[in-house]
Amino acid sequence: MKILEYLYFRMYKAYLDKNDDPKVRSFMYISLLQLVIAASFIVYLEKTLAICSVFSVEYLSKIKHSYVFWGMIIIPILLFSYASLARRPFAYYSEKFSMCIANKYIKIWMLVILPFLFLFFSIQLYIFLFGGNILGTEIEGIIS
């Protein structure tokens, strides 16, 4: 939770300097980051359930393409982001993280590419674990 608070603080401060709406933009960033993490977890869970023959692939595909399923994922993420981060005043985060030593070393561009890096490494881990077809070459995974 502390890392999400720190990310919220840094993005809020960055959008405040850009004269953009910092509260909405920081909320969107945190929600996007949590959605990327949840989506990659869902992909791993789906593949693991299919390999273990808990559910059929068709049934898992039907669930994954359901609006209700994604609503059950997205709405709690938005509610959690709002309830735990966006409701507090910025002064709370400023007091908590303004003297943090990480402010000197972590730049804003690092925070911007964080969801993309997480997505990229999730894809690499997926291929390592479950295999796949990459540029016409069949790669066999550890679990497949």
Side-chain angles (χ1 to χ4, degrees), residues 63-110:
I63 290 173
K64 195 172 74 174
H65 290 96
S66 164
Y67 292 124
V68 174
F69 173 75
W70 286 107
M72 289 173 32
I73 301 295
I74 293 171
I75 290 172
I77 286 175
L78 293 174
L79 289 174
F80 174 76
S81 297
Y82 178 74
S84 64
L85 299 171
R87 288 190 326 164
R88 292 189 178 138
F90 182 67
Y92 167 79
Y93 298 111
S94 184
E95 178 183 309
K96 190 171 183 178
F97 296 114
S98 63
M99 300 305 290
C100 184
I101 194 154
N103 292 340
K104 190 187 324 182
Y105 299 111
I106 298 176
K107 306 296 181 210
I108 294 301
W109 67 267
M110 296 174 184

Side-chain angles (χ1 to χ4, degrees), residues 45-63:
L45 184 64
E46 175 197 12
K47 188 67 172 183
T48 305
L49 291 175
I51 288 174
C52 296
S53 299
V54 175
F55 297 111
S56 67
V57 176
E58 294 82 21
Y59 184 70
L60 289 172
S61 178
K62 187 189 296 186
I63 290 173

Side-chain angles (χ1 to χ4, degrees), residues 1-143:
M1 183 63 186
K2 190 171 182 179
I3 191 163
L4 290 177
E5 288 179 342
Y6 178 73
L7 292 173
Y8 184 82
F9 164 74
R10 288 299 303 269
M11 293 309 285
Y12 191 101
K13 196 171 173 187
Y15 284 120
L16 190 62
D17 292 343
K18 287 177 66 175
N19 231 1
D20 206 348
D21 189 10
K23 194 169 193 98
V24 173
R25 298 291 185 173
S26 301
F27 173 76
M28 287 173 34
Y29 173 78
I30 293 296
S31 299
L32 170 75
L33 185 63
Q34 291 175 358
L35 187 62
V36 167
I37 292 169
S40 58
F41 177 73
I42 289 168
V43 168
Y44 291 122
L45 184 64
E46 175 197 12
K47 188 67 172 183
T48 305
L49 291 175
I51 288 174
C52 296
S53 299
V54 175
F55 297 111
S56 67
V57 176
E58 294 82 21
Y59 184 70
L60 289 172
S61 178
K62 187 189 296 186
I63 290 173
K64 195 172 74 174
H65 290 96
S66 164
Y67 292 124
V68 174
F69 173 75
W70 286 107
M72 289 173 32
I73 301 295
I74 293 171
I75 290 172
I77 286 175
L78 293 174
L79 289 174
F80 174 76
S81 297
Y82 178 74
S84 64
L85 299 171
R87 288 190 326 164
R88 292 189 178 138
F90 182 67
Y92 167 79
Y93 298 111
S94 184
E95 178 183 309
K96 190 171 183 178
F97 296 114
S98 63
M99 300 305 290
C100 184
I101 194 154
N103 292 340
K104 190 187 324 182
Y105 299 111
I106 298 176
K107 306 296 181 210
I108 294 301
W109 67 267
M110 296 174 184
L111 300 179
V112 170
I113 65 168
L114 184 64
F116 300 106
L117 281 176
F118 189 83
L119 185 65
F120 176 73
F121 288 125
S122 295
I123 292 170
Q124 282 189 329
L125 181 64
Y126 181 87
I127 292 169
F128 179 71
L129 291 175
F130 304 115
N133 191 346
I134 307 298
L135 298 174
T137 306
E138 188 66 34
I139 298 173
E140 188 163 333
I142 295 173
I143 300 175

